[in-house]
Amino acid sequence: MKKYRIVNRTRFTAFAVLVIIVCAFAVSSIMGINNASGASTQEYVQVKVTSGDTLWNLAKEYGPKNTDTRMVVYEICQLNNITASDLMAGQFITIPTEL
């Protein structure tokens, strides 16, 4: 049996730390611990437009509370690829409940 001797203690310590970091990263990747999708998940509600509805009223009713209604209307337009004049009764639109 061959015996090994540590010649350079600094190089050995750096190698051991590197091996530990790589192993920790590999284990966390396999187990899915470093998954950040839960932090960035946005919730939406789908609403059927009825006669007389406006984007402003829908944003105030279904959009996030304590948020500028103009921002919610802008997000609704971007999300659904529409403008206020495109809104028609019977149409389904997606409204963010959080910004």
Side-chain angles (χ1 to χ4, degrees), residues 22-86:
V22 169
C23 288
F25 179 73
V27 168
S28 68
S29 294
I30 291 169
M31 294 178 68
I33 294 173
N34 59 352
N35 188 355
S37 66
S40 61
T41 302
Q42 192 166 8
E43 295 183 22
Y44 303 97
V45 63
Q46 199 158 31
V47 176
K48 185 175 183 178
V49 178
T50 59
S51 180
D53 281 343
T54 63
L55 284 178
W56 189 268
N57 290 339
L58 293 171
K60 284 180 77 171
E61 184 176 348
Y62 296 102
K65 306 302 178 216
N66 301 325
T67 304
D68 187 6
T69 307
R70 293 173 292 183
M71 293 282 292
V72 180
V73 169
Y74 176 78
E75 288 295 323
I76 292 170
C77 290
Q78 294 296 312
L79 192 63
N80 295 285
N81 197 22
I82 60 171
T83 61
S85 61
D86 295 335

Side-chain angles (χ1 to χ4, degrees), residues 9-10 14 17 41 82-83 98:
R9 193 177 301 253
T10 306
V17 168
T41 302
I82 60 171
T83 61
E98 294 179 7

